[in-house]
Amino acid sequence: MSEHPHSAPEELIFALDIGTRSVVGLIVEPTGEQFRVIDCTIREHSERSMLDGQIHDVMAVSKVIGKIKEELEEKHGPLTKVAVAAAGRSLRTKRVRMDLPLSRHAAVTRDDVLTLEFSAVQEAQAQLAQELNEQDVTRYYCVGYSVVNYFLDGELIGNLIDQRGEIASVDVIATFLPRMVVDSLLAALHRCGLDMQALTLEPIAAINVLIPVTMRRLNIALVDIGAGTSDVALTEEGAITAYGMVPVAGDEITDALMNAFLLDFPMAEEVKRALTHAEKISFTDILGLEQTLSSEEVVKAILPEITNLAGKIAAKILELNGKPPQAVMLIGGGSLTPKLTERVAEALGLPASRVAVRGADAIRQFVGEHPLLDGPAFVTPVGIAVAARRHPVKYVTVTVNDAAIRIFDLRKMTVGDALIASGLDIRRLHGRPGMAITLTVNGRMRIIPGGHGTPPVIEKNGEACGLDTPISEGDRIVALAGADGEDAQAQVIDLMDKLDTLELTVNDEPVSLGPIALVNGMPHPLDAPLQDRSEVVIRLPRTVEEVLQEAGMLDAGASEGDEEFFRFVVNGRETVLPARMKIIQIGGKDAALSDFIRPGDRLVYREEPYHAPAIRDVIPPEEWVQESISVRFNGQPVTITLSALSITMNGRPADQDEQVENEAVITVKASPPTAPVFSDVFRYVDVSLERPETEGITRLVMLVNGEPASFHTELHAGDKLELYWE
C-alpha cells in the first residue's frame, strides 16, 4: 500500500474478467468521474476448466483467481471484494412465436400487447428449461428481450395497438442467464475468500465504457470475439435490446493455421498474434522445417476461415437485430484477426468504415497510458470495473402475492419481470373467453361466441399498475387472475332472423302459426337450450300433424298410457283400436296426419267415439273357414255349407251380427262337416212346397241329375236339382 498512501484499500476496485482461455485481474482507482488502472495481471487456465464461458471446474478456476489475487495483494494489500461479469457466451437466447386469440369486436390494447410479449418471454423460459431438463423454469433470469415482428391474423404488421382481428402474434428473442452460471461464479470466488461486490454482464460492461449514453440511441452492434465464442450485443433507443452468442471465434483461426502450415497449437497462436504487426513471419512446423512467409501469404491461406467467422457473426447480428445495424464495434483478442472487419462489413452490406476494432485507445479516458493495456482484449475488464461503480447490478427483492422474489436488476425491471420470476403464468392472468357453440342452422354454420373473460387485477403497493410499471426494492405486487367468461348458450328463438307465419283455417276458425324447430331431426321447444354441434332446422309447419300440434289440438307428447283404447280377443289374438276416431279433411276431402298442408287451406279435424264392429267383421278370414259344395237348383247356383260355426263372446253363445263389446273374449269354432241331403237346399233358396190351385197339377216332382229323388236323397258337388209341380 506504500505506493498509494492517499487511497484507502476499500476505494480501489478489484475487477476480474474470467474468460475461456485466460483470467484478467485489474486494480482500478476511481478518481471523481474518471477511473485509473493502477495494476493488471493476466493468467491463462492451466487446464480446460472453462467451456463457453461456463465454469466447469470451480476448484481449478478458483486456483487461477487465487494466484491473481495473491499477486495483486502483494502490492495493494488485502482484497476482499471483487467485481465480476457473467460471460455473454453463457447467456441462452431463445426465439419464440406466441399467439393471442382476440375478441372479435374489441381493438387490441397496450395491455394486450404487453401480455402477449411477456407470455412469449415466459414460453421461451419454459422451452429453455425443457431443453436443458430443468424442472424449475425460474432458474433462468430474463436479462433482456426484443420483439422481432408483430403479426395480425398471420400477416406482418408494424404495431398491434388499436388493430382488430382474430389472432395477434408476436415473434420475440429473449435472453436468459442461467442461475447456475451465477452460482458457480459465487462458489469460485468464495473459495478464494472473495465477496461479489458487483455483478454485470460482459456485453453491458463493454458497452458502458465503449458507447456513451449519448450514442446509445443509435443502433450499434458490439461483438466481443474471444477464444471460444463471439458474443454479440445490440443497443438501440438508449437500451441494450438483445444478446447473442456464436460458437466460433479466435480458436477457429488458430485451427486454420495449424491445418494450413502443420503447426502445433502454441506455434499457431504465436503466428496468429504476429499477423497483427509483423510483415514477415517465421515459424517451425511439426516436421521441424522452418519457414518464413509474408503476412499476406499467411492470411491468404486462412482467408476462407476468416470469411466464415465474419459470416456467422453477421448472421447472428441480423437474426437479433432484424436488419443491418448502423455500426459494428469489434472487441476482444479475436477482433485483431486480419481482414475480419472488411468481411463483416461485406456480409452486413455496410461501408467498411462502419465496422471497427475498438481497443485501449477507445477507453483511454478510463485507462490512461498503461503499458499492459494495449488492445481490445482489455475493454471488457475495464468495463467490469467501471460498472462496479457506475452500474452495479443488485438484487431487487419484491413480494408477489406475499411471496418474496429476488431478481437480478440487470436492466430496467418491471412488474412483468417480477411475475415471470415468481413463476406465475401470465397467459392465465387474463380470464379466458367462454366456450363457443357451433351450430348448423338450415344448412349454414353459425358460431355463438362465449362471454369475455375479465382482465386481471395487478397492483403495486396498493395501486393499480400495468405489466410495464417499473419496480424497485421492497415493492409489494398483487396479481389476481381475471374471471373466465361464461360458456355460450343459445335457444332456437335466438337464431330466428325473421318470423314468418302460416295462415289457414281449422274447423272454420282462422289460425296463424309461427315456425317450428327440429334439432337433430327431432322436434325441439323454441326456448330450450341447444347443445354444441347440433343441426337445427327452423321452418313453418308442413304437415297436418305439425299444424294440429302447433295449434294445440294434438298432443305431441301424449304417451300410450294416457290414451283410451278399444280391446278384444278373437281365438287368443288381441286387437287394440283407438277408442276415438280422428276425422281429418282438407278442403272437404279426407286426409291423413302425414299429408302436406299449404297456406290458406281449410282443415277440418275432430274426434268421434269408435263405433264397435259386428262380430263377423272382426273374425279373421282364416277363422271363418266352413266346408261347402256347390249345386244347381232349378238352374240357379247354390252353395251348401257342410259345417256350422259356433260363436261365443265372454263365454256365452253369440250371433255373428252382434256388436263386439269392449274387452270381449270371442271364440269361433266350426263343427265337423255332415253329408248334405236335398232338403238342405231349402235353407238357401226361397221356394214354396204348397200345391198350386191350378187344375190338373197333382204331384210334386223332385229330380237329382234327372233321376227321381226324395227329401233325403244325398247330394254331391255339381249335382243338378229340380223341383216342380205337375
Side-chain angles (χ1 to χ4, degrees):
M1 286 304 291
S2 57
E3 296 176 33
H4 304 282
H6 303 298
S7 301
E10 59 267 26
E11 288 180 353
L12 299 179
I13 299 170
F14 175 28
L16 275 177
D17 179 12
I18 305 168
T20 305
R21 177 71 42 76
S22 57
V23 180
V24 178
L26 294 182
I27 298 289
V28 178
E29 180 184 30
T31 54
E33 287 299 301
Q34 299 300 308
F35 293 80
R36 191 163 67 87
V37 177
I38 296 170
D39 207 345
C40 166
T41 182
I42 303 171
R43 277 187 180 269
E44 293 200 0
H45 295 292
S46 56
E47 50 199 279
R48 296 297 300 276
S49 51
M50 296 284 292
L51 197 62
D52 289 351
Q54 165 65 45
I55 295 176
H56 276 243
D57 186 338
V58 172
M59 290 180 70
V61 173
S62 67
K63 266 187 199 172
V64 177
I65 295 171
K67 285 177 182 171
I68 289 173
K69 177 179 177 248
E70 286 168 18
E71 200 175 310
L72 292 172
E73 279 181 331
E74 284 176 17
K75 300 179 191 173
H76 308 286
L79 299 170
T80 56
K81 293 182 179 178
V82 66
V84 289
R89 64 194 72 88
S90 65
L91 298 172
R92 297 275 187 268
T93 300
K94 194 81 191 155
R95 186 166 176 167
V96 165
R97 179 163 172 172
M98 177 66 67
D99 296 334
L100 176 73
L102 299 173
S103 166
R104 188 170 297 178
H105 307 296
V108 180
T109 64
R110 177 170 170 72
D111 276 351
D112 290 334
V113 175
L114 286 169
T115 299
L116 184 57
E117 288 177 13
F118 278 113
S119 298
V121 172
Q122 204 159 37
E123 177 61 24
Q125 188 184 44
Q127 286 186 18
L128 192 63
Q130 194 175 2
E131 283 173 20
L132 301 173
N133 293 319
E134 178 61 71
Q135 299 303 313
D136 181 6
V137 295
T138 61
R139 289 187 68 84
Y140 294 88
Y141 304 111
C142 177
V143 295
Y145 77 89
S146 58
V147 174
V148 181
N149 287 311
Y150 294 111
F151 300 90
L152 188 66
D153 295 339
E155 297 292 326
L156 200 62
I157 196 160
N159 193 332
L160 282 170
I161 295 175
D162 285 344
Q163 302 282 2
R164 295 172 193 271
E166 293 193 3
I167 294 180
S169 311
V170 67
D171 199 356
V172 159
I173 290 181
T175 308
F176 298 91
L177 176 64
R179 193 190 295 175
M180 179 176 63
V181 171
V182 181
D183 291 346
S184 57
L185 205 51
L186 284 167
L189 296 178
H190 285 158
R191 288 189 73 84
C192 303
L194 289 167
D195 286 331
M196 189 186 288
Q197 177 185 357
L199 171 74
T200 188
L201 297 176
E202 286 180 5
I204 293 177
I207 282 171
N208 280 333
V209 292
L210 272 185
I211 306 175
V213 176
T214 51
M215 276 173 58
R216 281 185 214 166
R217 298 200 71 76
L218 301 175
N219 184 202
I220 299 172
L222 176 78
V223 186
D224 182 356
I225 307 171
T229 60
S230 301
D231 304 327
V232 179
L234 287 146
T235 71
E236 191 170 22
E237 294 297 318
I240 299 166
T241 53
Y243 307 96
M245 182 270 281
V246 186
V248 290
D251 283 354
E252 262 67 24
I253 307 303
T254 309
D255 289 344
L257 287 166
M258 290 167 66
N259 293 330
F261 301 107
L262 295 178
L263 306 177
D264 61 11
F265 191 85
M267 179 58 72
E269 278 284 295
E270 272 185 44
V271 171
K272 183 174 76 172
R273 288 168 186 169
L275 283 173
T276 58
H277 53 80
E279 289 185 18
K280 293 277 184 186
I281 298 169
S282 299
F283 52 83
T284 305
D285 64 20
I286 58 170
L287 300 175
L289 299 174
E290 267 200 41
Q291 293 187 57
T292 301
L293 296 172
S294 70
S295 57
E296 283 180 20
E297 289 175 289
V298 176
V299 169
K300 191 174 179 183
I302 60 170
L303 200 54
E305 279 74 16
I306 295 171
T307 305
N308 180 48
L309 173 60
K312 289 189 173 173
I313 289 169
K316 178 58 74 172
I317 291 171
L318 290 172
E319 179 195 328
L320 294 169
N321 202 50
K323 61 182 188 297
Q326 290 166 291
V328 180
M329 294 184 181
L330 304 181
I331 61 168
S335 66
L336 296 170
T337 305
K339 305 284 186 189
L340 187 61
T341 54
E342 294 97 314
R343 290 291 186 267
V344 171
E346 277 177 31
L348 289 170
L350 292 173
S353 59
R354 292 287 185 89
V355 181
V357 175
R358 303 309 305 270
D361 57 322
I363 54 171
R364 187 112 323 140
Q365 55 164 319
F366 301 115
V367 179
E369 297 289 340
H370 196 286
L372 282 169
L373 306 184
D374 61 349
F378 295 94
V379 172
T380 299
V382 173
I384 293 169
V386 173
R389 176 56 56 92
R390 288 194 176 171
H391 310 281
V393 175
K394 298 185 177 71
Y395 276 118
V396 175
T397 304
V398 296
T399 62
V400 176
N401 294 346
D402 296 329
I405 305 294
R406 290 212 307 172
I407 312 170
F408 271 123
D409 193 8
L410 292 163
R411 58 194 163 90
K412 187 176 76 173
M413 305 306 274
T414 64
V415 169
D417 292 306
L419 298 185
I420 287 176
S422 73
L424 273 181
D425 190 340
I426 288 176
R427 278 170 295 180
R428 297 285 176 266
L429 283 179
H430 204 294
R432 295 180 184 177
M435 294 289 287
I437 290 178
T438 303
L439 304 168
T440 305
V441 181
N442 290 352
R444 288 188 175 183
M445 184 176 284
R446 286 273 298 269
I447 297 174
I448 314 297
H452 299 308
T454 59
V457 174
I458 302 176
E459 294 178 350
K460 185 183 89 168
N461 301 329
E463 293 182 6
C465 65
L467 290 171
D468 57 344
T469 304
I471 56 172
S472 51
E473 179 69 28
D475 282 344
R476 288 175 294 102
I477 297 163
V478 173
L480 302 174
D484 290 345
E486 291 186 5
D487 291 345
Q489 291 184 327
Q491 302 168 334
V492 175
I493 197 89
D494 303 328
L495 306 174
M496 292 182 175
D497 296 327
K498 55 183 187 296
L499 297 174
D500 288 338
T501 56
L502 174 67
E503 309 289 339
L504 73 164
T505 64
V506 180
N507 295 343
D508 296 329
E509 293 286 333
V511 173
S512 179
L513 299 176
I516 63 169
L518 300 175
V519 176
N520 301 327
M522 300 297 293
H524 195 86
L526 300 186
D527 58 352
L530 290 166
Q531 300 299 314
D532 189 29
R533 304 197 179 281
S534 293
E535 292 200 9
V536 183
V537 174
I538 302 171
R539 58 170 173 78
L540 292 172
R542 287 181 184 166
T543 63
V544 172
E545 185 174 19
E546 289 174 349
V547 166
L548 294 175
Q549 284 171 353
E550 289 304 298
M553 301 174 74
L554 195 66
D555 190 358
S559 63
E560 287 188 12
D562 300 334
E563 196 174 339
E564 292 181 17
F565 293 97
F566 187 89
R567 304 167 193 268
F568 55 90
V569 177
V570 177
N571 284 1
R573 292 182 187 168
E574 185 180 33
T575 302
V576 180
L577 298 169
R580 300 181 67 79
M581 291 177 61
K582 292 177 171 62
I583 308 298
I584 303 169
Q585 292 178 331
I586 299 175
K589 294 181 179 176
D590 288 344
L593 286 173
S594 58
D595 284 355
F596 285 101
I597 205 152
R598 285 176 288 279
D601 274 351
R602 289 178 297 107
L603 177 64
V604 171
Y605 173 78
R606 67 179 184 274
E607 290 187 1
E608 295 179 352
Y610 183 70
H611 295 294
I615 291 175
R616 65 163 62 252
D617 297 328
V618 300
I619 296 175
E622 63 270 19
E623 308 288 352
W624 199 253
V625 175
Q626 292 174 290
E627 287 190 39
S628 60
I629 62 168
S630 294
V631 296
R632 294 185 78 80
F633 178 77
N634 289 348
Q636 298 296 318
V638 175
T639 300
I640 300 170
T641 303
L642 307 182
S643 58
L645 275 182
S646 160
I647 300 173
T648 64
M649 182 163 63
N650 295 333
R652 62 174 178 79
D655 188 80
Q656 62 185 19
D657 295 321
E658 270 189 60
Q659 273 195 325
V660 177
E661 298 170 4
N662 195 12
E663 304 290 347
V665 177
I666 299 168
T667 307
V668 180
K669 289 183 182 173
S671 59
T674 55
V677 292
F678 200 111
S679 60
D680 290 332
V681 173
F682 300 129
R683 284 187 287 150
Y684 303 99
V685 296
D686 189 14
V687 65
S688 173
L689 295 178
E690 288 185 15
R691 182 170 63 82
E693 297 296 327
T694 313
E695 282 189 24
I697 292 177
T698 57
R699 72 185 184 100
L700 181 68
V701 179
M702 298 174 69
L703 300 174
V704 174
N705 299 328
E707 295 292 325
S710 69
F711 285 125
H712 301 292
T713 300
E714 198 170 305
L715 301 180
H716 300 94
D719 285 350
K720 290 178 182 154
L721 282 62
E722 293 176 75
L723 177 70
Y724 56 90
W725 289 87
E726 65 174 14

